[in-house]
Amino acid sequence: MIAKLWGDTRETQELAKKNLERQLERLLLERGSVNFTDLYEEFWHGHHLLNHYLQIFLKIKELEEEGKVIIDEEKNISLARVSFLDEYGLKEVTIWDLEHKKEDIEEKKEIIERYQRINYLA
């Protein structure tokens, strides 16, 4: 297995991945696509070390395996999109849009469950 990147524990690795995802999503929404060279420059602002390249590259490849981004032959990265048919017609959204909606639903569900417990005890 590859050495742990950006953290000694699973939690810090997940936090680093989430942070990278948010930054990458913002960049891709602004620009449409970005290549690895621009991505390295954006994240490290000219401070290039081989381990930074490797960490970013491996995390992006992980996101590609999860289906969140697409990497073409020229190493350009773009958002993965999915199309589905709803009552209004064909709709196209990014995988991250679906993930954000799922997180929002989970958060609201947790709030409702907490309220029900508090209300039950009152």
Side-chain angles (χ1 to χ4, degrees), residues 21 24-25 28 36 59-72 76-81 95-96:
E21 283 185 46
L24 182 61
E25 180 184 16
L28 293 175
F36 276 99
K59 290 294 182 184
I60 300 298
K61 290 303 267 183
E62 186 178 328
L63 293 175
E64 181 185 35
E65 289 173 8
E66 293 175 2
K68 295 178 179 176
V69 297
I70 297 169
I71 302 173
D72 64 16
N76 291 317
I77 306 162
S78 58
L79 290 169
R81 298 182 183 277
I95 299 299
W96 273 317

Side-chain angles (χ1 to χ4, degrees), residues 116-122:
Q116 287 176 339
R117 272 184 280 173
I118 291 170
N119 196 24
Y120 174 76
L121 297 174

Side-chain angles (χ1 to χ4, degrees), residues 7-18:
D8 295 327
T9 65
R10 187 71 181 148
E11 291 81 20
T12 56
Q13 291 174 28
E14 283 297 316
L15 185 61
K17 181 178 177 240
K18 281 288 185 192

Side-chain angles (χ1 to χ4, degrees), residues 19 44-45 55 57 62 68 72 76-77 84 89 100 118:
N19 185 41
W44 290 101
H45 307 289
Q55 290 169 341
F57 180 78
E62 186 178 328
K68 295 178 179 176
D72 64 16
N76 291 317
I77 306 162
F84 62 91
H100 294 317
I118 291 170

